[in-house]
Amino acid sequence: MTLLEIKNISHQYFSIAALDKVSLKFKKGEIHAVIGEHGAGKSSLARIVAGMQRPLKGELYWEGKLLESLIPKTAMEKGIRIVAQNNPLFENLTVAENLLLDNNVGLYPFITRRKNLRIAGEYINKMDFALDPSASLSDLKLADRALVDVLRSLYHNPKLLILDETLEKLSSDSQRQLLKVLNQRTAEGLAVMFISHRVDDIYNIAHRVTIIRDGKVLLTEKIDDIDKTNLIRLAYTHALHSKEVQTKETFTQILRYNEAIIKDLPVSFVIFDCDGKIRIQNMAASKIFGEKNEAVQILDLIPDENGKYRTILQEALNNTKHKTYYQIPLKKNGTEFLFDMTIYPVMERSTLLGNILIMVDISEKEKLRERVTLSENLASLGLLSAGVAHEINNPLDIMGYCLDNLKFSGINSEQMETVKGIEEEIDSVARIVSNLISFSDKTISEVTIFDPGDLLQSLIHLLRVKAKETGIVINFSRTETRCLIKADRNEIKQVFLNLVRNAFEAMPKGGNLGVRLDKETD
């Protein structure tokens, strides 16, 4: 049953035509893909259906009735929801608050924060997505923000859901789960306008596909009635006019067209026959395989070090089912690439005629993902360090109070020296804790003038009990005159302490440790 019918919609921006007499039908229980080159008019059509802009000409019929005026509020009341490329989300609100925003002014009235979190949590769990409803939107990754946008639209149980270049923003796990949800919702009557440039996604989920070129509908077909080669050729090239289109082509007929048909595709596109000889390739593929030579097999162009890549191509020569491979490495001419690859068999009835190889270079994308992951991990480490540091501060404060009590409880001079030494060490720990708290900041050393001999003397005094337990005798000698240096006292003390500890570990059965401080003169 038709839910929305578009009749002769036309629109333009200044003197540039965006849509020209576009007519379409969106049916209940159907995912209808709309594809075309950048600037073909897909997003303009989506905004008109969502009431975000008014067409210059044409009519819209909702469940058979003419829509006199369509604005966003009316569209949402009818049950139309759009996940556009730049939908606004509220960065300062939580996931739950973004999900439960109503159509007009804000959150549903009389819902407490706790109830808000409970409702959103139950909804997210029911949909089987990994999202924390209490998380602030500003703390989420871009893929999870896109997921929140989709779930916000689905929460309102739309009759028509518009997804404008949405699926590619999601993580692979979220994509798979969303496809399950969409299949379930369409079985219940949901209609979906699915705008995408990813051919694999279209064939995975769409029931029908409409190709728009230069603002005009080129054709609308059931997805099973148009092969991928023709879909790419018709949607992304201007080599043929619509009156020249044939709906069925054999492999031999495809080869008659010049490489210009596919030369500007933003992916590497290669057609090779059952002998592995390249028959057609575009410019992007030429950068990898070199200029086309029909006498050479594609496997001969791949260095032996690319074992995984060669195995995939070898299997494709006799394979009659399409396959997709992710993150396949390829080394060629001293350059390393990383590709997502899809291989489609070209069949004439039950006979394999050849294969289409589509390669998407994800090298830069993967490097960017690794940098983002590293950045997120470092940020998490900083937060963890700061949290641990704050927890350490509490017992340090208590230890300081205890030492203050000891100092005023009538202890003797030797005990007082020990207390002062402990206080100094607590100050050192406090400095380390402070550095952890300011993990991401550039810490400035506190440089002072001091006598390293006094510093060594205090350290040895503190370590005397440990030395006695392990049977180590420390012999310390220093110059008679004071030796002053300018440095960070805490860092120098850490150096001395590490040296003494290493000496202790080297003498587990005891021994003599000599420590001597000399002053060199020029």
Side-chain angles (χ1 to χ4, degrees):
M1 178 180 177
T2 299
L3 178 68
L4 174 69
E5 183 176 2
I6 299 169
K7 286 188 176 182
N8 297 319
I9 289 292
S10 295
H11 193 69
Q12 66 182 46
Y13 300 101
F14 301 103
S15 61
I16 301 174
L19 296 170
D20 184 10
K21 297 180 180 179
V22 170
S23 295
L24 275 176
K25 291 181 180 180
F26 293 92
K27 298 180 180 180
K28 294 181 179 179
E30 183 178 77
I31 298 177
H32 192 142
V34 179
I35 69 170
E37 293 180 327
H38 178 71
K42 308 181 296 296
S43 293
S44 295
L45 181 64
R47 288 193 293 271
I48 288 172
V49 172
M52 298 168 68
Q53 62 187 40
R54 299 188 65 176
L56 295 179
K57 297 179 182 178
E59 298 171 332
L60 294 154
Y61 291 84
W62 183 259
E63 296 182 327
K65 296 180 180 180
L66 176 64
L67 292 172
E68 297 290 349
S69 177
L70 188 62
I71 60 175
K73 180 179 179 181
T74 308
M76 287 189 283
E77 289 172 351
K78 292 290 184 183
I80 301 173
R81 290 277 171 170
I82 182 172
V83 183
Q85 296 183 38
N86 56 351
N87 266 8
L89 292 171
F90 296 87
E91 298 282 336
N92 59 329
L93 298 182
T94 63
V95 170
E97 289 165 339
N98 271 280
L99 287 178
L100 301 183
L101 286 173
D102 67 16
N103 296 348
N104 299 310
V105 296
L107 294 170
Y108 291 108
F110 312 115
I111 295 183
T112 64
R113 176 179 173 83
R114 179 178 295 180
K115 188 174 181 181
N116 186 31
L117 288 173
R118 179 179 60 78
I119 293 173
E122 291 174 352
Y123 169 67
I124 292 171
N125 289 335
K126 179 182 177 182
M127 302 286 276
D128 199 19
F129 286 100
L131 272 179
D132 180 4
S134 64
S136 174
L137 197 75
S138 60
D139 294 333
L140 297 185
K141 300 177 182 178
L142 294 178
D144 288 336
R145 295 188 194 186
L147 178 59
V148 172
D149 200 2
V150 176
L151 293 180
R152 181 174 67 169
S153 293
L154 286 172
Y155 180 79
H156 296 280
N157 294 316
K159 292 183 178 180
L160 173 63
L161 177 64
I162 304 170
L163 299 177
D164 189 359
E165 304 286 2
T166 300
L167 208 60
E168 45 265 54
K169 299 177 185 177
L170 306 178
S171 67
S172 56
D173 289 338
S174 294
Q175 287 182 31
R176 285 191 289 270
Q177 182 57 27
L178 179 59
L179 293 186
K180 294 180 182 178
V181 172
L182 290 179
N183 287 332
Q184 178 185 346
R185 291 290 184 92
T186 51
E188 297 169 356
L190 173 68
V192 179
M193 179 193 294
F194 180 60
I195 298 174
S196 178
H197 65 274
R198 301 203 306 188
V199 176
D200 282 347
D201 290 343
I202 293 166
Y203 274 85
N204 283 337
I205 71 172
H207 300 97
R208 280 195 302 162
V209 59
T210 291
I211 299 173
I212 294 182
R213 178 189 290 172
D214 295 334
K216 297 179 180 180
V217 172
L218 188 60
L219 64 82
T220 297
E221 292 280 357
K222 289 183 179 180
I223 197 67
D224 293 334
D225 291 343
I226 182 168
D227 63 79
K228 293 179 182 178
T229 304
N230 277 320
L231 187 70
I232 293 173
R233 178 172 60 84
L234 297 175
Y236 299 109
T237 68
H238 286 76
L240 300 176
H241 297 291
S242 59
K243 64 182 181 180
E244 298 172 332
V245 171
Q246 301 178 30
T247 57
K248 294 183 180 180
E249 304 260 359
T250 65
F251 184 63
T252 304
Q253 288 172 317
I254 292 173
L255 298 180
R256 292 176 184 172
Y257 298 114
N258 190 271
E259 285 88 340
I261 293 175
I262 55 171
K263 70 177 182 178
D264 293 326
L265 281 178
V267 296
S268 297
F269 188 100
V270 180
I271 299 178
F272 56 92
D273 60 23
C274 291
D275 294 327
K277 296 178 180 179
I278 295 178
R279 307 299 298 275
I280 288 179
Q281 67 182 27
N282 66 355
M283 293 178 64
S286 298
K287 295 177 181 179
I288 301 171
F289 300 106
E291 294 300 321
K292 182 169 69 69
N293 184 345
E294 294 186 1
V296 179
Q297 283 193 329
I298 189 172
L299 285 170
D300 295 335
L301 302 174
I302 307 299
D304 293 338
E305 60 183 325
N306 300 285
K308 186 175 183 180
Y309 193 97
R310 291 175 61 85
T311 300
I312 290 172
L313 292 181
Q314 185 67 55
E315 291 175 351
L317 294 177
N318 300 303
N319 188 29
T320 58
K321 293 182 179 180
H322 93 268
K323 285 189 176 182
T324 299
Y325 307 85
Y326 299 98
Q327 297 184 337
I328 304 301
L330 172 64
K331 294 182 180 180
K332 191 80 188 300
N333 299 327
T335 304
E336 293 188 9
F337 301 93
L338 197 64
F339 290 103
D340 284 346
M341 298 169 48
T342 303
I343 298 179
Y344 304 102
V346 180
M347 306 290 296
E348 185 175 26
R349 297 183 181 178
S350 60
T351 304
L352 179 66
L353 300 174
N355 289 273
I356 298 173
L357 170 64
I358 297 176
M359 301 164 51
V360 180
D361 189 350
I362 61 168
S363 306
E364 293 301 320
K365 180 180 177 181
E366 186 64 16
K367 291 177 183 177
L368 178 60
R369 186 192 67 78
E370 291 175 355
R371 288 197 293 268
V372 171
T373 301
L374 177 60
S375 177
E376 291 174 348
N377 289 341
L378 289 175
S380 299
L381 180 59
L383 289 174
L384 176 62
S385 301
V388 171
H390 279 296
E391 292 300 320
I392 293 174
N393 269 332
N394 295 330
L396 283 180
D397 289 341
I398 295 173
M399 291 168 66
Y401 299 147
C402 292
L403 289 176
D404 287 341
N405 290 333
L406 279 175
K407 286 194 292 186
F408 296 101
S409 61
I411 59 177
N412 59 40
S413 59
E414 186 177 356
Q415 291 170 331
M416 181 62 75
E417 287 297 318
T418 301
V419 168
K420 289 181 179 179
I422 295 174
E423 281 185 321
E424 188 173 342
E425 295 308 311
I426 290 177
D427 288 341
S428 298
V429 175
R431 284 176 177 270
I432 296 172
V433 169
S434 177
N435 288 340
L436 283 175
I437 293 175
S438 57
F439 180 80
S440 61
D441 296 332
K442 185 176 180 181
T443 304
I444 301 175
S445 299
E446 184 178 343
V447 177
T448 58
I449 297 175
F450 62 94
D451 186 343
D454 294 341
L455 181 60
L456 271 171
Q457 189 73 54
S458 63
L459 279 177
I460 292 170
H461 180 74
L462 285 174
L463 294 170
R464 69 187 189 284
V465 175
K466 180 67 176 178
K468 186 176 181 181
E469 289 176 355
T470 54
I472 295 175
V473 177
I474 303 176
N475 299 307
F476 174 57
S477 61
R478 57 185 295 185
T479 58
E480 295 182 0
T481 59
R482 290 176 61 80
C483 175
L484 298 179
I485 64 171
K486 186 177 182 180
D488 186 313
R489 181 184 176 89
N490 193 56
E491 291 181 358
I492 296 298
K493 179 173 63 177
Q494 194 66 43
V495 172
F496 288 163
L497 185 58
N498 289 340
L499 289 172
V500 174
R501 283 175 176 168
N502 290 340
F504 276 23
E505 292 176 1
M507 297 185 291
K509 297 182 180 180
N512 294 315
L513 173 61
V515 181
R516 178 178 176 82
L517 181 65
D518 288 326
K519 179 179 180 181
E520 291 186 358
T521 57
D522 296 333

